[in-house]
Amino acid sequence: MYLIGVDYHPSFQQIAFFVEETGECGEQELNHSDGQAERFYRDLQQRGIRVRVGMEATGYSRWFERLLAELGFEVWMGDPAEIKTRRVKKQKTDRKDAQLLLRLMRENNFPQIWVPDPENRDLRQLLWHRHRLVQMRTRIMNQLQALAMNEGYRWKKKLFSEQGRMQLEKLALAPWASRRRQELLELLDRINPTIEELTAAVEREARKRPEVLRLMTHPGVGPLTALAYVLIIGTPTRFPRGKQIGTYVGMIPSEDSSAGKQRLGHISKQGSSLLRYLLVEAAQAAARNHPDWRRRYIRLAMRRHRSIAKVAMGRRLAIRLYWMWRNGCEYSHSLEFSSYAGQLGIVHGVK
């Protein structure tokens, strides 16, 4: 068995390895662009060596993970925050990082995390692609609003109606402003059908999953939010209690308390920014359409601030969806803003 700690970078990786049978150990730097890293691992596979690779969760490593899966190697993906706490000395180099990963593997103290399957990751690309296109469309629409307001017209949403667009196109503008208006309208015409197509794809994927349909019974939650929640959370059994969901999506305040004084800061913003955004948007939709959610939101907004109230409602929604998914139940008004302790077969937060 080869144990390999990998400090991964986009262009190269620093490894530290240990051979259990012989006690041999060593270090090496492997480049990616010239195929050195791929040749190294394929050579181990051809020699029939069992390999376990430990690395931190990081970006730009999909090709490397696919390579290891193709070769049949065992991969341990580690939590970067947990691994950072295991570093004793305040010295950080690529070599020391690789050695730390190897040491944690040998001590059976490696903080493994859940890794989504390839289908899950590909569906996340659908959600991110649609989200980014919607952001681009919003920027285009804001620029068109600015053009109209500079000419003394403040039409707001009416600007993008059929009549509003005709009036916008009739405005007498200077040559470059006119060209800007024309090209922005062309971009808007091109991006709208693409967003509609991606939205339809999201709805089709949502209908394939019973758990997504169950979450959609909650006020304010549509196919986009429900599908993103299921894909990013993965499985509710990862979390023994609902409060950990708020921590996972980064919707709890950071804290620096000491000597009996509590100091709370902004939310941690750990986890998926997309899911965090969708939860807050869905919570606002629920507050607009559901009297209990609206009452709770107004009470929080009066006590603190609207922005804090929005995040708090989004966190509450995340926890509510967790219990709905874990217990296999649809939305029920009887459980609105009540404790789940001792209900639906839940004892101490465990089924």
Side-chain angles (χ1 to χ4, degrees), residues 286-287 290-302 313 333 336-337:
H290 196 279
D292 290 329
W293 280 79
R294 181 164 57 253
R295 190 182 310 113
R296 184 83 175 195
Y297 168 73
I298 292 174
R299 188 181 301 121
L300 286 172
M302 292 177 64
M313 297 301 289
H333 183 75
E336 196 65 57
F337 298 111

Side-chain angles (χ1 to χ4, degrees), residues 57-326:
T58 182
Y60 314 111
S61 62
R62 299 287 171 82
W63 72 271
F64 182 55
E65 296 175 39
R66 287 195 300 267
L67 172 65
L68 297 178
E70 175 190 342
L71 298 178
F73 293 164
E74 186 179 357
V75 181
W76 286 7
M77 197 66 65
D79 183 354
E82 287 288 336
I83 293 173
K84 184 178 180 180
T85 62
R86 313 292 171 83
R87 188 178 294 114
V88 179
K89 297 182 179 179
K90 292 186 177 180
Q91 295 177 334
K92 186 182 184 304
T93 64
D94 295 340
R95 290 183 57 201
K96 290 184 180 297
D97 287 347
Q99 292 170 2
L100 173 61
L101 294 171
L102 178 60
R103 177 171 63 83
L104 294 177
M105 294 173 67
R106 293 182 60 186
E107 295 174 352
N108 199 25
N109 196 24
F110 192 85
Q112 284 186 264
I113 60 174
W114 173 78
V115 179
D117 57 45
E119 181 185 4
N120 184 311
R121 286 179 166 178
D122 192 49
L123 284 177
R124 292 190 192 190
Q125 295 298 314
L126 166 63
L127 300 179
W128 270 111
H129 186 41
R130 183 193 176 279
H131 180 64
R132 294 303 188 196
L133 288 180
V134 170
Q135 289 180 324
M136 292 170 60
R137 181 176 64 180
T138 302
R139 295 189 185 100
I140 293 171
M141 295 170 72
N142 288 342
Q143 292 182 65
L144 290 170
Q145 287 282 8
L147 282 173
M149 292 174 65
N150 282 331
E151 300 302 317
Y153 298 96
R154 193 166 183 265
W155 293 320
K156 297 185 178 180
K157 292 182 180 180
K158 295 180 181 179
L159 178 64
F160 303 103
S161 64
E162 184 176 351
Q163 182 180 1
R165 174 155 180 168
M166 291 176 59
Q167 292 176 336
L168 177 63
E169 292 176 342
K170 290 179 181 178
L171 291 178
L173 302 178
W176 284 110
S178 177
R179 175 174 176 177
R180 184 187 181 195
R181 174 186 57 188
Q182 177 186 353
E183 294 184 353
L184 287 173
L185 288 172
E186 290 175 356
L187 286 173
L188 190 62
D189 292 337
R190 289 170 53 189
I191 206 170
N192 275 329
T194 304
I195 292 176
E196 292 174 2
E197 179 186 354
L198 296 176
T199 302
V202 170
E203 293 174 351
R204 288 195 301 270
E205 293 295 335
R207 288 194 294 268
K208 296 178 183 178
R209 293 167 170 77
E211 63 273 21
V212 175
L213 297 176
R214 187 178 304 120
L215 299 185
M216 288 171 58
T217 61
H218 193 286
V221 178
L224 183 63
T225 303
L227 182 61
Y229 190 90
V230 168
L231 292 178
I232 293 172
I233 298 301
T235 172
T237 56
R238 295 173 57 200
F239 305 93
R241 57 187 62 86
K243 288 185 178 180
Q244 293 183 347
I245 293 290
T247 304
Y248 184 74
V249 298
M251 301 182 76
I252 62 169
S254 56
E255 185 172 3
D256 186 17
S257 300
S258 180
K261 294 183 180 179
Q262 187 179 39
R263 301 180 181 88
L264 299 179
H266 298 291
I267 60 173
S268 63
K269 293 188 178 180
Q270 296 175 324
S272 171
S273 60
L274 174 60
L275 180 58
R276 194 161 52 247
Y277 169 82
L278 293 174
L279 286 170
V280 172
E281 290 292 314
Q284 292 181 73
R288 285 192 298 268
N289 302 318
H290 196 279
D292 290 329
W293 280 79
R294 181 164 57 253
R295 190 182 310 113
R296 184 83 175 195
Y297 168 73
I298 292 174
R299 188 181 301 121
L300 286 172
M302 292 177 64
R303 284 175 47 209
R304 305 298 298 275
H305 190 273
R306 283 183 297 176
S307 60
I308 296 177
K310 291 176 183 178
V311 175
M313 297 301 289
R315 179 174 63 248
R316 184 172 292 274
L317 176 61
I319 297 173
R320 173 68 55 76
L321 296 179
Y322 164 81
W323 285 115
M324 289 174 57
W325 186 6
R326 179 158 185 162

